[in-house]
Amino acid sequence: MRKILIGILILTGLITLFLFYNHKQLPTEEDVFNMTAKWSPTTEEVYFVREIDGDWLTMFRNSHSIMVARLEQNWLGNWKVRDEEGYESTLISTAYPPREEDEITWSASSKGKSLSYYFGQILNPMIYRIEVETKKNVFEDALIFSPQGLRFFFIKSDEDMFLPVNIRAFSETGELIYSTVK
């Protein structure tokens, strides 16, 4: 009886250590490849995995689109791609490859709970800053990423999407280069 009790205690301790270790692991690019391995089309490149405003986000590309997804740990400590509602889904994506004549590519997505996402690729090298109208006459600066020599913008808004979507791009001197609403 004593050996069984000791065995149970050792097994419980090992499981606890395993779970503690898994929960301390940060997500990696390899995790993203593993999570999306069964997706069609498959992931070809992971641009980054990083924590932004308390959420772990990843940006990755397949043959048709570039996507931003939220990463969440399950109770075992494994990382999974999850949207705000807990489903295996990306937050937002934009077309790939972009057309050469475009200044930017972009998309907007609204998820439940009054959340909106705006994301795109900056193609014009003269664009220095992106603003997105998230409420009537309220513009917010988008976060700009530059992984692997490419440039992208992203913004998460706690507001319902304001239509028409107004995205403005400015040069370093503040000159308006691009606007979705004329």
Side-chain angles (χ1 to χ4, degrees):
M1 181 68 169
R2 189 173 194 185
K3 289 182 181 181
I4 294 174
L5 183 60
I6 290 173
I8 291 172
L9 288 174
I10 290 173
L11 185 60
T12 302
L14 290 173
I15 291 171
T16 302
L17 285 173
F18 170 78
L19 292 174
F20 183 76
Y21 174 79
N22 265 3
H23 278 279
K24 291 293 184 184
Q25 299 305 305
L26 300 178
T28 65
E29 292 179 7
E30 191 61 36
D31 290 331
V32 176
F33 280 113
N34 291 336
M35 287 179 256
T36 60
K38 294 181 181 177
W39 291 14
S40 181
T42 60
T43 299
E44 295 177 3
E45 190 165 5
V46 176
Y47 292 116
F48 71 75
V49 175
R50 70 173 66 141
E51 188 175 17
I52 300 170
D53 295 332
D55 283 331
W56 279 97
L57 298 178
T58 182
M59 184 170 48
F60 56 98
R61 177 183 63 77
N62 63 27
S63 59
H64 302 298
S65 58
I66 299 172
M67 297 160 274
V68 174
R70 190 171 146 272
L71 301 175
E72 185 179 282
Q73 272 184 313
N74 64 13
W75 68 275
L76 286 174
N78 298 322
W79 290 93
K80 301 290 181 187
V81 170
R82 296 284 184 253
D83 65 11
E84 298 289 346
E85 295 163 352
Y87 297 108
E88 184 180 46
S89 177
T90 61
L91 300 175
I92 193 165
S93 65
T94 189
Y96 179 86
R99 295 182 321 182
E100 290 181 23
E101 64 271 10
D102 288 340
E103 303 279 344
I104 65 172
T105 65
W106 65 274
S107 69
S109 173
S110 182
K111 304 286 183 180
K113 304 180 195 174
S114 297
L115 287 175
S116 300
Y117 297 95
Y118 306 87
F119 170 65
Q121 184 174 2
I122 302 168
L123 303 169
N124 182 337
M126 301 301 291
I127 293 175
Y128 179 76
R129 184 170 54 95
I130 301 280
E131 291 181 342
V132 177
E133 186 174 12
T134 57
K135 292 186 255 185
K136 181 122 178 106
N137 297 320
V138 176
F139 285 87
E140 293 184 47
D141 283 335
L143 187 58
I144 295 180
F145 304 102
S146 297
Q148 302 174 13
L150 303 171
R151 295 174 56 226
F152 299 92
F153 69 91
F154 176 78
I155 191 166
K156 173 185 173 182
S157 174
D158 293 331
E159 300 288 330
D160 288 329
M161 189 179 304
F162 182 73
L163 297 175
V165 173
N166 192 358
I167 298 173
R168 302 187 306 191
F170 297 91
S171 69
E172 191 169 6
T173 61
E175 174 189 349
L176 181 65
I177 294 175
Y178 174 86
S179 179
T180 55
V181 176
K182 305 294 183 214

